[in-house]
Amino acid sequence: MNDFRIPFLPFGSKAAFRLGAALAVLALGLLTGCESDGGGSADLHADNQAPQAPDVQAIREGDVLKVTFPGAPNLDTTQTVRRDGRITLGIIGEIKVSGLTPPSLEKQLMDLYSKELVEKEVTVTVVSSTFTVYVTGAVLKPGKITTDHPLTLLEAVMEAGGLDNMKADPKAVKIIRLENGVQHTYKVNLKEILNAQSRDPIYLKPSDSVIVPERFSVFN
């Protein structure tokens, strides 16, 4: 086998400049190729970001809230957030709370009750929180899953009985999500998650639909 040798070129010559530029381009290409091999766990469709962990403190319809006023205990209340995202409080009446975090709702209530409160303090606690997701496709127990805690994609698939190993294609799992009235589709490589190749868990949001596709087979 012939040895590959870089010929000696006088420093500052045009030939040396061209050779240096070519080597730099080659090195950059190799470096870029190495970086692209370590991709994340989500292969996205028409979206620029992967499904992120939801704000676990965000208030949702169906949540049970406890609102306490240390300086005015007669205003204390525990209520379930209605389907319209509202609750009813003394003096101020109805207020929309869905989408807010407890701290942001506390601040809003302190402003609304500023004239009535001697002690400027309000505490909002999410007593319980439930939401539903749907898992279908090549899993053993497809259907609706109701949870009272943040739920990852992997946990949802496990709740659905796990993958049907004879049919499932874990490399192309889809998450269908409605955001601001627009449906988004995320494609996730669940196999990387199962093999611990992905560090960050992918959390589901209320009403997400998870579709586990079947592997392509010439015998189908």
Side-chain angles (χ1 to χ4, degrees), residues 9 31 45 48 64 85 89 133 152 160 178 186 200 209 214-215:
L9 296 171
L31 179 61
H45 277 195
N48 295 322
V64 177
L89 299 176
V133 299
T152 67
L178 189 65
Y186 299 96
D200 299 324
S209 293
E214 296 187 6
R215 292 193 300 267

Side-chain angles (χ1 to χ4, degrees), residues 164-212:
D164 183 339
N165 292 324
M166 299 296 293
K167 299 179 180 179
D169 179 7
K171 295 182 180 180
V173 175
K174 292 181 180 179
I175 298 174
I176 310 297
R177 176 174 298 165
L178 189 65
E179 297 175 301
N180 299 319
V182 179
Q183 180 173 293
H184 296 272
T185 300
Y186 299 96
K187 184 179 176 183
V188 182
N189 188 336
L190 185 59
K191 186 174 182 180
E192 288 186 353
I193 298 175
L194 290 168
N195 293 337
Q197 294 176 314
S198 175
R199 297 179 181 178
D200 299 324
I202 295 177
Y203 285 88
L204 299 178
K205 292 186 177 182
S207 300
D208 276 358
S209 293
V210 176
I211 303 174
V212 179

Side-chain angles (χ1 to χ4, degrees), residues 7-215:
F8 172 78
L9 296 171
F11 179 77
S13 67
K14 291 184 178 180
F17 176 78
R18 293 193 188 100
L19 177 60
L23 291 174
V25 170
L26 176 61
L28 180 60
L30 292 173
L31 179 61
T32 303
C34 292
E35 289 177 348
S36 64
D37 290 340
S41 61
D43 179 17
L44 307 180
H45 277 195
D47 289 281
N48 295 322
Q49 59 183 9
Q52 300 295 320
D55 184 350
V56 296
Q57 290 187 313
I59 298 169
R60 298 185 290 260
E61 296 80 359
D63 287 357
V64 177
L65 299 184
K66 182 178 181 180
V67 184
T68 57
F69 300 80
N74 58 303
L75 295 174
D76 291 356
T77 183
T78 299
Q79 296 186 37
T80 300
V81 181
R82 302 194 302 265
R83 295 184 65 180
D84 61 1
R86 299 175 180 272
I87 60 174
T88 301
L89 299 176
I91 302 176
I92 64 172
E94 290 189 354
I95 179 174
K96 185 172 183 179
V97 297
S98 61
L100 300 176
T101 61
S104 62
L105 179 55
E106 289 170 355
K107 183 177 184 304
Q108 186 172 334
L109 292 178
M110 280 191 288
D111 292 339
L112 293 171
Y113 282 99
S114 60
K115 296 181 180 179
E116 285 75 21
L117 298 180
V118 176
E119 297 182 24
K120 306 299 181 183
E121 185 178 354
V122 182
T123 301
V124 176
T125 305
V126 179
V127 178
S128 67
S129 178
T130 62
F131 66 93
T132 300
V133 299
Y134 304 87
V135 182
T136 187
V139 291
L140 298 179
K141 298 179 181 178
K144 179 172 69 173
I145 296 173
T146 300
T147 179
D148 60 358
H149 60 274
L151 189 70
T152 67
L153 170 63
L154 179 58
E155 289 170 338
V157 170
M158 293 300 102
E159 286 284 342
L163 297 172
D164 183 339
N165 292 324
M166 299 296 293
K167 299 179 180 179
D169 179 7
K171 295 182 180 180
V173 175
K174 292 181 180 179
I175 298 174
I176 310 297
R177 176 174 298 165
L178 189 65
E179 297 175 301
N180 299 319
V182 179
Q183 180 173 293
H184 296 272
T185 300
Y186 299 96
K187 184 179 176 183
V188 182
N189 188 336
L190 185 59
K191 186 174 182 180
E192 288 186 353
I193 298 175
L194 290 168
N195 293 337
Q197 294 176 314
S198 175
R199 297 179 181 178
D200 299 324
I202 295 177
Y203 285 88
L204 299 178
K205 292 186 177 182
S207 300
D208 276 358
S209 293
V210 176
I211 303 174
V212 179
E214 296 187 6
R215 292 193 300 267

